[in-house]
């Protein structure tokens, strides 16, 4: 069964750090692009970061310089290191399989596998 | 600045009725990059439609997507009780999601 399971969410003080984990089963993360998407309480969805199968990484402007996405192929796991946490980072963080188009302008198949989410709360 | 605008914000309908949801993008798109997601309370989003009009695996055929350019539509032909949820459009490339449309029971 294709599945993503996130962990690592917690209550953290402003300025603190966390590492979120996303363990995949049923497919290989290194062969796929993987994204993190977050949702603040009562709000919509916000794309946060992506790691491509080739290893390139990209970030939303709101998290650039504070968040780092990585993966451990031996553990089939994707990580999101979150530093310098702010109140506005409070959200449910979803790990998502995000297959990319084969070429520019070709079909995008959508974020087809989602984890259940892990909650990050930033508060003093 | 690229923006995805969904309307209406809330749609109040009865089971069996037809729902029409709109997503307008500020950047023209062939449709290849446009996806729709459904989210129920307390659950992760679920992929419904990709490429503007292709249903994802396991999605019932009462869900359909259409559009190109800057205007896209998600249609639910006959609302079932399990369809009352929030729906988001998403554009690859800009990595933006729309603000969502809540389909609620009238």
């Amino acid at each position: 069964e294709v599945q993503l399971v996130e962990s690592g969410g917690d209550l953290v003080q402003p300025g603190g750090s966390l590492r979120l984990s996303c363990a995949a089963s049923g497919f290989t993360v290194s062969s796929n692009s993987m994204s993190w998407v977050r949702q603040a309480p009562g709000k919509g969805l916000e794309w946060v970061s992506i790691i491509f199968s080739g290893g390139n990484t990209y970030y939303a402007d709101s998290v650039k310089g504070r968040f780092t996405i990585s993966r451990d192929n031996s553990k089939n796991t994707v990580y999101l290191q979150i530093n310098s946490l702010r109140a506005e980072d409070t959200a449910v963080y979803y790990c998502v399989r995000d297959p990319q188009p084969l070429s520019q302008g070709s079909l995008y198949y959508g974020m087809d596998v989602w984890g259940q989410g892990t909650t990050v709360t930033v508060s003093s | 600045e690229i923006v995805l605008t969904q309307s209406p914000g809330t749609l109040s309908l009865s089971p069996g009725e037809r729902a029409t949801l709109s997503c307008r993008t500020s950047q023209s798109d062939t449709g290849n990059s446009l996806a729709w997601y459904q989210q129920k309370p307390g659950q992760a989003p679920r992929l419904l439609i990709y490429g503007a009009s292709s249903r994802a695996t396991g999605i019932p055929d009462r869900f359909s997507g259409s559009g190109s350019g800057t205007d896209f539509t998600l249609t639910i032909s006959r609302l079932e009780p399990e369809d009352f949820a929030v729906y988001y459009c998403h554009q690859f490339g800009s990595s933006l999601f729309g603000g969502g449309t809540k389909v609620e029971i009238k």
Side-chain angles (χ1 to χ4, degrees):
Chain A
E1 180 189 6
V2 173
Q3 193 175 10
L4 293 168
V5 178
E6 302 99 330
S7 60
D10 204 349
L11 171 62
V12 185
Q13 290 188 341
S17 298
L18 273 179
R19 189 178 79 158
L20 308 183
S21 300
C22 169
S25 56
F27 71 99
T28 304
V29 295
S30 61
S31 299
N32 287 270
S33 297
M34 300 294 295
S35 282
W36 286 92
V37 174
R38 68 182 179 182
Q39 186 171 36
K43 302 297 184 183
L45 302 171
E46 180 189 16
W47 173 82
V48 171
S49 181
I50 188 169
I51 182 166
F52 291 107
S53 56
N56 288 347
T57 59
Y58 293 90
Y59 301 91
D61 288 343
S62 58
V63 307
K64 204 171 293 182
R66 300 187 299 121
F67 289 19
T68 303
I69 190 171
S70 62
R71 69 185 182 217
D72 184 331
N73 295 342
S74 67
K75 296 182 179 180
N76 209 30
T77 297
V78 177
Y79 302 99
L80 188 67
Q81 177 69 41
I82 308 176
N83 298 330
S84 304
L85 277 159
R86 306 167 179 169
E88 54 266 34
D89 296 320
T90 294
V92 175
Y93 285 72
Y94 295 103
C95 176
V96 183
R97 188 171 73 176
D98 193 6
Q100 300 297 292
L102 294 178
S103 61
Q104 188 174 4
S106 64
L107 190 62
Y108 171 59
Y109 288 89
M111 298 176 177
D112 62 348
V113 182
W114 293 68
Q116 85 288 352
T118 188
T119 300
V120 174
T121 303
V122 184
S123 175
S124 55
Chain B
E1 180 186 354
I2 301 170
V3 177
L4 266 65
T5 303
Q6 289 189 243
S7 61
T10 301
L11 200 51
S12 298
L13 295 168
S14 300
E17 288 193 296
R18 181 184 188 91
T20 304
L21 288 66
S22 172
C23 176
R24 181 163 292 176
T25 71
S26 60
Q27 179 180 64
S28 185
D29 192 304
T30 60
N32 281 349
S33 304
L34 203 287
W36 289 92
Y37 299 86
Q38 176 194 64
Q39 187 178 33
K40 298 178 182 179
Q43 296 185 17
R46 175 175 71 146
L47 176 65
L48 291 179
I49 300 287
Y50 64 90
S53 60
S54 297
R55 277 186 298 276
T57 303
I59 302 304
D61 60 7
R62 64 180 181 272
F63 291 92
S64 63
S66 62
S68 65
T70 59
D71 291 295
F72 297 88
T73 300
L74 174 69
T75 301
I76 310 171
S77 58
R78 293 173 308 279
L79 283 164
E80 297 287 340
E82 62 267 28
D83 299 337
F84 291 92
V86 180
Y87 293 84
Y88 295 95
C89 60
H90 170 244
Q91 184 184 45
F92 170 79
S94 68
S95 298
L96 289 174
F97 289 90
T101 291
K102 181 180 181 181
V103 179
E104 66 176 22
I105 299 176
K106 186 175 181 180

